[in-house]
Amino acid sequence: MIQLPAGFHLRRDTLARSVVVRRSWPVFLDLCVAGLLLACFYAVVQIARYWNSTPRTDFAISLSPHALPMYAFFSIVRIGFAYLLSLAFALIYGYIAAYTPRLEGLMLACLDILQSIPVLSFLPGVMLAMVALVPGHQLGIEMGAIILIFTGQAWNIAYSFYASLKAIPRELTEAARIYNFSPIQRFFHLELPFATIGLIWNSMVSVAGGWFFLMACEMFILGSRDFRLPGLGSYLQTAAANGDFRAITYGLLTMIAIIVATDQLLWRPLIAWSDKFKFEQTESSNRVSSPLLHLLQHSTAISHLRQRTLRPVSEFFYRTSYKRRAIQHQQPASDSTVQKVLRYVAAGLFIGIVLFAATHAIVLLREVQPRQIGMIFLGAGATFLRVFAALLIGSAWTIPAGVAIGLHPRLARIAQPLAQIAASVPATAVFPVLLVAIVKAGGGLGIGSIALMLLGTQWYILFNVIAGAIAIPSDLREVGRLFRFSTVEKWKVIILPSIFPYLITGLVTASGGAWNASIVAEYFRLKNQTLSTFGLGAQISAATDAGQFPVLLWATIVMALIVVTINRLLWRPIYRIAETRYKLSA
Amino acid sequence: MQPAIIRAERVEKYYSQPSENRIQVISPTDLSIVQGEIIALLGPSGSGKSTLLRMLTGLSTPSAGQVYWHEAPIQSANVNVSIVFQSFALFPWLTVLENIEAPLKARGVDAATRRKRSLKILDTVGLDGFQAAYPKELSGGMRQRVGFARALVVEPEVLFMDEPFSALDVLTAENLRSELLELWHKRTIPTKSIFIVTHNIEEAVLLADRIIVLGRNPGHIRTDFRVNLAHPRDRKAAAFTQLVDYIYKVLTQPEAPAPALPNINGRRVRDQREMKYQMLPHARPGGIAGLLEFLLDHGGKSDIYRLADDLAFEIDDLLPIVEAASILKFLTVTEGDAAITALGTEYANAEILRQKEIFREAAVKNVLLLRQIVRALQSKSDHTVPEDFFHDTLDEVFSEEETVRQLETAINWGRYAEIFDFDSTRRRFTLPESALAEPESTFADAPEVEEEEKDKQETGL
Ligand SMILES: Nc1ncnc2c1ncn2[C@@H]1O[C@H](COP(=O)(O)OP(=O)(O)OP(=O)(O)O)[C@@H](O)[C@H]1O
Ligand SMILES: [Mg+2]
């Protein structure tokens, strides 16, 4: 017989124990999952009870820290619903645009313009419509806020989905066709997976933008009516108005906690999960990891759940769609005249409605006096200067800082996470606080509005400059060292040309954001007094307050036109130059 | 004669251009696929092999003519074919097993049967044990095995392959090829016919029972013949090499006779060979010089097939360079042999400045597009012309993609020979300073009037 080694028993013991631990692990995971489900249930009940309550326009916002978790929760739900709405819209819109050649051009142009329209000018119309639609419930105001946030979130997601659909490699599409995939199978096997990564990154951007608008629209005045929604935004506004610094601190801390939590609990798992959708030939080495994703993927409860629910449903779909197609094969070409007529009628109806609304809007526009129109254009000039100043100041500090961070990995390790947190705090949350400070220091909204624009948009520039600086090839930097370039020469010959395309990308986004921010920045209600400064944004806000819809429409159109024109006439040509002349990669 | 599984009757394909012109890619072609044969389709790049394959599978609809599946129009038929793609076309987010199950899902096969059939086919292609892996974890050869498995799992009547081995290294390709032949000869797979598009002449002769060679501009069948060699075929056998040589000759003599083009629906379809512009092969001047020097070192004359072998070039990479050199009259091609001309010898032996001069003269004399650019530059007072100007005229003749490539090649040649400068940010041609100083002497050779006359005749009014 073979003699067993001395330590064998011990080894077996430890081995056995590790097996036990591993076995009990899934139970623990299941408990976690059950906890999560219970929490979700409680949340749904809370929301339902609140939405069914009658609207209380005189909602008193409590500044007690105990009220904060509930407020934060309400804000998150609002953002969540708006995001889901945006996602659904984006998928449908992108799909139609990509697969309907006749509408493609029009739908893309729409996206382009909708992206540059100042969302906040829709606030009064949307609110009034929603309150009228669901009278007697808090739900009406909530829906207004959600739709408003939606209009700020949907477009870039839609565009991303459309672009992904268009970029699907031809051979994959052909494989789907040669194997007779049904539209459903094509969607889940090919189109959605291919678009996933783009959708996730754009969702992150959209949700961050959503916070910006949420903070602004949780508390506002429309004519004689004072709309308030319980939430983090109204909490912060109230706290700033009362000068309650303890409450402000709590509010901001909650805000940061939410943002960090979203990042850890939502985006990181999603990004880690989306790794498998990367369309690449080799496996990448540096992946994002997420404990939460691990939990979800290894929980037996969840896999059972999938086995019982998703599987049978998808099987059923595949089988029925196959059967339906088999039947269609026997009686082909049912694209009858009835369908054609229906399509024309639908198109005609749509065009009719658009024409009707457009003519009414034009009638509305004619109510505005020439003098007022002149003021609008003057205001546009003032806001233009402010946007310009904000971009200038933003560039002045972000370019050196960004280049320093990008070129020094050690600095980057400390500064980048900090900058990311700072950037993700919505500017509108900080603004009331900042404004109080500026007013106390003797400044006015003239400076304040530039500060808010800066607050919201400098990060776009910073992050792009960092990306540009990181992308400078090391041999190029070595050339600089070799020829003993002076600092000025180094900037002129190497750094500025290298970061130029990135800088432009950052400036384009920042400029659009600054215009939009002007609506909140140039006109602000603090306690019972209204601060305002001359500008297009202030005109939009004032018109909203006073319910002057013709002026509101005029100002909105002017702002949208300015943003679109600047994009087309200024940024695009510059960008093209940047792409061709200064692009480093071959 | 056997009834055809797929029969193409006078199929044509043209792509419409923005400028209302249509570019014909495939001229009227008849082709049948019958049971029990492997067909190989050969032809130069851009001759329309993939286009033809896609029409035969029903993926793309012919612009004219009809494809029949068991004598019923293919659009309304319940077609049972598969395609193996050059790029594998696997879904990277699905595991190997899920990839193979996907076509079965589309056919409404239930889960248990699906699994059983997929595992069986995985076994057949030698991928046992890899069902849970993702495609990106596999090597290229393994991925193409998955591609085969996915194609075979639906038991297609005809298996189509578009350059299935091109993306693989030589040994892997050889291996897969022989395994495929084994499956086919042992009737392990119920597939009745295989249609393979390839670039590789030896591959075609190794596999096929029937070889079709396509010519281009527009795509048409040059030859279509049966290969009656017994399997397994020996690459060194005389019959084998003779066949390979014959196909090389067909491929390297693009001027061999081709059928005349008819009028379709009373509309004249533009034959690409009638166009004013010759198609510039996408070769770099450096490559041309290199080829000529090499040729000179080998006695000034060589078989193109040998040349490719000696240079370790794919024949497809070499042909454009040969074609470019022959357009410039640096060499002549007869019966698959390339022979250097006196001008070519001078060019190969000259030092760099003189080389540019020779190239410039030859290019301006022989290449219409370059000649037009020079003429346009000289006739403008500011000696600069936007690229778009030529883009628009070329657009009428070439596809969008080809137009861009033509201009790219012309710019490449023109810059090298200092015929003109090109400002790539403003996308404009400009006359170089040297030419501005003495425009007449530099380009005096351009035989303007005579060529213009000829162009007019060629466009054939
Ligand atoms: N969608 C399209 N629009 C316009 N032209 C096209 C289109 N698809 C193909 N072509 C043109 O048709 C011609 C034939 O293309 P095809 O892909 O069939 O050639 P091929 O023989 O398969 O070439 P390769 O060996 O490079 O795969 C090419 O000149 C190509 O530019
Ligand atoms: Mg091809």
Side-chain angles (χ1 to χ4, degrees):
Chain A
M1 231 179 91
I2 304 166
Q3 196 72 34
L4 286 174
F8 185 73
H9 271 285
L10 203 82
R11 290 266 293 282
R12 260 185 58 145
D13 254 14
T14 47
L15 203 75
R17 198 175 301 151
S18 78
V19 168
V20 171
V21 170
R22 200 173 293 159
R23 275 229 195 92
S24 62
W25 192 222
V27 176
F28 174 69
L29 294 184
D30 291 345
L31 282 178
C32 293
V33 171
L36 282 176
L37 287 179
L38 275 179
C40 286
F41 180 73
Y42 174 73
V44 169
V45 170
Q46 279 297 312
I47 288 287
R49 201 189 284 160
Y50 160 67
W51 275 357
N52 254 332
S53 64
T54 45
R56 286 188 288 168
T57 48
D58 56 340
F59 228 106
I61 300 292
S62 156
L63 287 182
S64 140
H66 297 297
L68 255 180
M70 211 57 198
Y71 286 163
F73 171 67
F74 281 134
S75 290
I76 291 172
V77 169
R78 238 161 255 148
I79 291 267
F81 270 99
Y83 170 69
L84 289 182
L85 195 63
S86 307
L87 187 64
F89 167 86
L91 292 185
I92 295 169
Y93 194 95
Y95 202 88
I96 295 176
Y99 289 118
T100 323
R102 250 180 290 178
L103 294 181
E104 192 174 344
L106 179 70
M107 290 180 82
L108 279 190
C110 277
L111 269 192
D112 193 27
I113 289 174
L114 284 171
Q115 244 172 350
S116 19
I117 282 182
V119 174
L120 287 175
S121 356
F122 291 144
L123 197 139
V126 171
M127 279 299 172
L128 293 178
M130 284 300 136
V131 171
L133 205 65
V134 194
H137 287 295
Q138 189 71 12
L139 186 60
I141 311 177
E142 283 291 349
M143 272 168 60
I146 288 173
I147 287 177
L148 211 68
I149 301 167
F150 157 83
T151 52
Q153 285 184 333
W155 322 124
N156 61 322
I157 308 182
Y159 185 78
S160 149
F161 187 58
Y162 162 83
S164 294
L165 288 181
K166 282 286 175 182
I168 295 177
R170 178 170 150 203
E171 297 201 332
L172 283 188
T173 323
E174 286 180 347
R177 270 185 59 203
I178 204 78
Y179 296 121
N180 266 321
F181 282 15
S182 60
I184 294 179
Q185 192 180 7
R186 201 180 58 193
F187 186 72
F188 285 111
H189 274 173
L190 177 58
E191 288 155 347
L192 194 59
F194 190 79
T196 299
I197 292 185
L199 285 177
I200 290 178
W201 286 104
N202 276 284
S203 299
M204 287 169 70
V205 174
S206 279
V207 169
W211 280 108
F212 183 93
F213 292 116
L214 184 71
M215 292 291 130
C217 72
E218 275 182 352
M219 200 170 168
F220 63 92
I221 291 167
L222 198 62
S224 58
R225 297 168 75 174
D226 184 359
F227 290 94
R228 278 179 203 193
L229 293 168
L232 207 53
S234 43
Y235 180 90
L236 276 168
Q237 278 193 36
T238 316
N242 293 350
D244 183 343
F245 280 98
R246 209 177 55 113
I248 290 174
T249 318
Y250 281 132
L252 286 181
L253 282 180
T254 312
M255 183 78 241
I256 291 173
I258 290 174
I259 283 157
V260 172
T262 331
D263 188 56
Q264 290 295 319
L265 300 182
L266 191 65
W267 300 131
R268 275 185 83 86
L270 273 177
I271 290 170
W273 171 74
S274 74
D275 198 63
K276 72 173 186 176
F277 300 113
K278 264 195 196 137
F279 196 76
E280 59 184 10
Q281 296 305 315
T282 50
E283 202 161 9
S284 59
S285 51
N286 53 337
R287 288 162 146 197
V288 180
S289 62
S290 158
L292 184 71
L293 179 69
H294 182 86
L295 191 153
L296 292 178
Q297 278 176 337
H298 290 82
S299 153
T300 41
I302 291 212
S303 78
H304 271 297
L305 204 68
R306 263 175 54 163
Q307 207 74 278
R308 295 278 143 74
T309 54
L310 273 180
R311 274 282 170 74
V313 168
S314 73
E315 288 295 328
F316 172 78
F317 265 121
Y318 289 132
R319 215 145 343 115
T320 46
S321 69
Y322 172 71
K323 274 189 202 135
R324 199 170 329 126
R325 223 154 358 115
I327 291 168
Q328 269 173 6
H329 246 303
Q330 284 160 10
Q331 31 179 259
S334 63
D335 193 31
S336 58
T337 41
V338 178
Q339 263 177 335
K340 233 187 226 166
V341 169
L342 272 180
R343 205 175 305 152
Y344 280 122
V345 168
L349 225 71
F350 180 74
I351 294 172
I353 291 172
V354 169
L355 280 181
F356 178 81
T359 40
H360 274 252
I362 289 172
V363 169
L364 209 61
L365 281 183
R366 287 183 41 197
E367 286 174 23
V368 182
Q369 276 138 31
R371 210 181 53 83
Q372 266 172 312
I373 297 174
M375 290 303 282
I376 286 175
F377 278 97
L378 275 181
T383 304
F384 178 82
L385 291 180
R386 245 171 244 131
V387 170
F388 188 69
L391 291 186
L392 218 56
I393 299 170
S395 311
W397 84 263
T398 54
I399 292 176
V403 168
I405 293 175
L407 293 187
H408 300 98
R410 207 158 337 133
L411 182 60
R413 223 167 305 143
I414 307 165
Q416 198 142 10
L418 284 182
Q420 256 156 11
I421 288 181
S424 56
V425 174
T428 35
V430 191
F431 187 51
V433 187
L434 187 79
L435 195 62
V436 170
I438 289 177
V439 170
K440 265 207 184 125
L445 203 56
I447 300 169
S449 59
I450 295 179
L452 178 73
M453 287 177 187
L454 197 60
L455 217 56
T457 57
Q458 58 196 351
W459 309 111
Y460 297 120
I461 314 177
L462 179 69
F463 288 127
N464 275 293
V465 171
I466 293 178
I470 288 176
I472 298 178
S474 54
D475 47 359
L476 212 58
R477 277 152 61 188
E478 273 156 20
V479 167
R481 225 168 294 140
L482 199 67
F483 291 133
R484 300 230 167 74
F485 277 3
S486 67
T487 315
V488 176
E489 265 175 324
K490 208 165 80 191
W491 275 85
K492 231 172 74 179
V493 180
I494 299 174
I495 296 175
L496 283 181
S498 307
I499 62 168
F500 189 63
Y502 295 86
L503 181 64
I504 297 302
T505 312
L507 283 174
V508 173
T509 326
S511 142
W515 277 98
N516 224 333
S518 72
I519 298 177
V520 206
E522 292 177 345
Y523 185 93
F524 203 82
R525 233 172 234 274
L526 208 56
K527 262 187 197 165
N528 294 322
Q529 99 202 67
T530 308
L531 298 172
S532 90
T533 178
F534 184 68
L536 190 57
Q539 278 157 346
I540 289 178
S541 294
T544 304
D545 250 8
Q548 292 176 327
F549 290 106
V551 178
L552 180 63
L553 192 58
W554 255 107
T556 306
I557 290 174
V558 167
M559 189 179 281
L561 276 182
I562 290 175
V563 176
V564 172
T565 317
I566 291 180
N567 275 352
R568 297 253 161 100
L569 294 188
L570 182 69
W571 295 123
R572 260 192 220 171
I574 295 184
Y575 193 74
R576 210 163 296 140
I577 292 175
E579 277 280 282
T580 52
R581 189 169 309 174
Y582 295 121
K583 189 134 190 183
L584 278 170
S585 56
Chain B
M1 212 189 133
Q2 288 191 43
I5 303 174
I6 296 178
R7 186 166 62 82
E9 199 178 270
R10 314 290 299 156
V11 289
E12 291 178 61
K13 188 80 186 179
Y14 17 90
Y15 289 107
S16 55
Q17 289 300 117
S19 52
E20 294 264 314
N21 273 312
R22 299 182 305 173
I23 301 238
Q24 182 146 30
V25 175
I26 302 279
S27 56
T29 299
D30 292 317
L31 183 65
S32 310
I33 299 174
V34 299
Q35 183 164 345
E37 62 179 10
I38 299 182
I39 304 176
L41 183 65
L42 279 163
S45 216
S47 55
K49 302 184 294 293
S50 301
T51 310
L52 192 58
L53 179 142
R54 280 167 175 76
M55 289 198 290
L56 290 174
T57 56
L59 268 184
S60 95
T61 318
S63 313
Q66 180 61 270
V67 179
Y68 297 94
W69 170 261
H70 289 294
E71 300 307 321
I74 200 162
Q75 280 80 30
S76 52
N78 202 356
V79 183
N80 182 17
V81 300
S82 293
I83 303 184
V84 175
F85 296 92
Q86 178 179 2
S87 63
F88 321 133
L90 302 173
F91 302 111
W93 38 83
L94 300 183
T95 62
V96 166
L97 190 66
E98 288 167 337
N99 260 296
I100 298 172
E101 281 189 6
L104 294 176
K105 252 185 193 174
R107 294 180 180 216
V109 179
D110 68 279
T113 321
R114 222 160 54 203
R115 207 180 156 78
K116 213 178 79 203
R117 278 174 68 176
S118 305
L119 287 175
K120 186 162 156 257
I121 204 80
L122 267 177
D123 192 32
T124 310
V125 301
L127 275 177
D128 227 0
F130 282 98
Q131 55 264 36
Y134 283 94
K136 59 182 133 193
E137 296 162 6
L138 304 179
S139 67
M142 306 260 257
R143 273 182 232 168
Q144 194 56 302
R145 278 172 201 268
V146 182
F148 273 110
R150 184 178 64 178
L152 293 174
V153 76
V154 293
E155 309 195 329
E157 268 191 69
V158 184
L159 175 64
F160 284 90
M161 301 193 259
D162 195 350
E163 304 189 26
F165 308 117
S166 297
L168 308 177
D169 64 83
V170 182
L171 285 180
T172 312
E174 184 67 38
N175 201 355
L176 268 180
R177 218 164 12 230
S178 56
E179 282 180 37
L180 175 73
L181 265 186
E182 198 182 316
L183 291 181
W184 168 254
H185 285 305
K186 287 196 176 154
R187 304 247 168 269
T188 321
I189 47 177
T191 299
K192 291 182 184 153
S193 188
I194 295 180
F195 186 97
I196 176 169
V197 166
T198 173
H199 262 142
N200 186 331
I201 299 180
E202 284 199 8
E203 179 172 290
V205 180
L206 268 176
L207 291 176
D209 303 309
R210 181 178 156 202
I211 293 179
I212 300 172
V213 179
L214 277 195
R216 73 176 161 201
N217 293 337
H220 59 280
I221 294 182
R222 301 269 308 281
T223 57
D224 178 349
F225 59 92
R226 302 201 66 81
V227 181
N228 290 317
L229 304 177
H231 286 280
R233 290 174 183 165
D234 176 11
R235 282 195 158 95
K236 303 228 172 60
F240 192 98
T241 49
Q242 269 171 5
L243 254 184
V244 171
D245 274 349
Y246 166 71
I247 298 170
Y248 266 112
K249 283 211 180 102
V250 175
L251 278 172
T252 48
Q253 288 177 329
E255 296 86 17
L261 277 163
N263 276 17
I264 293 111
N265 300 339
R267 250 175 104 171
R268 202 179 69 89
V269 178
R270 190 186 285 267
D271 182 330
Q272 294 210 358
R273 274 169 305 171
E274 286 175 29
M275 62 206 177
K276 317 190 257 184
Y277 298 99
Q278 66 267 64
M279 172 100 93
L280 279 189
H282 308 293
R284 289 176 177 278
I288 299 172
L291 173 70
L292 292 175
E293 278 161 28
F294 189 85
L295 206 55
L296 211 55
D297 285 349
H298 287 67
K301 185 169 172 178
S302 174
D303 184 43
I304 295 177
Y305 170 36
R306 276 271 313 282
L307 211 54
D309 230 26
D310 290 345
L311 286 163
F313 263 44
E314 284 293 328
I315 191 82
D316 258 353
D317 297 333
L318 183 64
L319 281 181
I321 307 178
V322 172
E323 211 175 310
S326 101
I327 283 180
L328 294 170
K329 309 245 157 73
F330 287 164
L331 56 74
T332 53
V333 179
T334 36
E335 306 239 316
D337 283 342
I340 197 162
T341 59
L343 186 65
T345 312
E346 194 193 344
Y347 176 70
N349 285 329
E351 43 78 41
I352 181 79
L353 284 181
R354 178 65 192 142
Q355 266 194 341
K356 288 194 174 193
E357 225 168 274
I358 298 173
F359 193 96
R360 176 159 64 225
E361 277 169 24
V364 173
K365 192 158 146 196
N366 297 310
V367 181
L368 175 67
L369 176 57
L370 290 173
R371 199 156 62 235
Q372 285 188 328
I373 295 174
V374 169
R375 254 185 247 155
L377 284 174
Q378 286 174 344
S379 62
K380 290 274 294 269
S381 58
D382 59 350
H383 299 302
T384 134
V385 182
E387 182 191 18
D388 283 345
F389 179 75
F390 301 102
H391 199 279
D392 292 345
T393 38
L394 285 175
D395 240 6
E396 309 209 334
V397 184
F398 297 110
S399 67
E400 177 67 25
E401 201 184 327
E402 190 54 48
T403 298
V404 173
R405 288 205 297 176
Q406 287 291 315
L407 275 167
E408 217 171 80
T409 307
I411 290 167
N412 211 326
W413 290 18
R415 274 176 159 174
Y416 161 77
E418 295 169 21
I419 298 171
F420 49 72
D421 280 339
F422 184 72
D423 180 342
S424 54
T425 32
R426 285 160 60 227
R427 310 299 300 174
R428 288 182 86 90
F429 293 98
T430 53
L431 220 46
E433 252 118 71
S434 59
L436 277 178
E438 31 163 7
E440 288 314 312
S441 67
T442 316
F443 301 105
D445 301 350
E448 300 193 12
V449 184
E450 194 192 74
E451 283 294 326
E452 205 97 81
E453 287 296 322
K454 214 168 125 210
D455 294 345
K456 267 185 207 141
Q457 283 164 10
E458 275 172 3
T459 41
L461 304 166

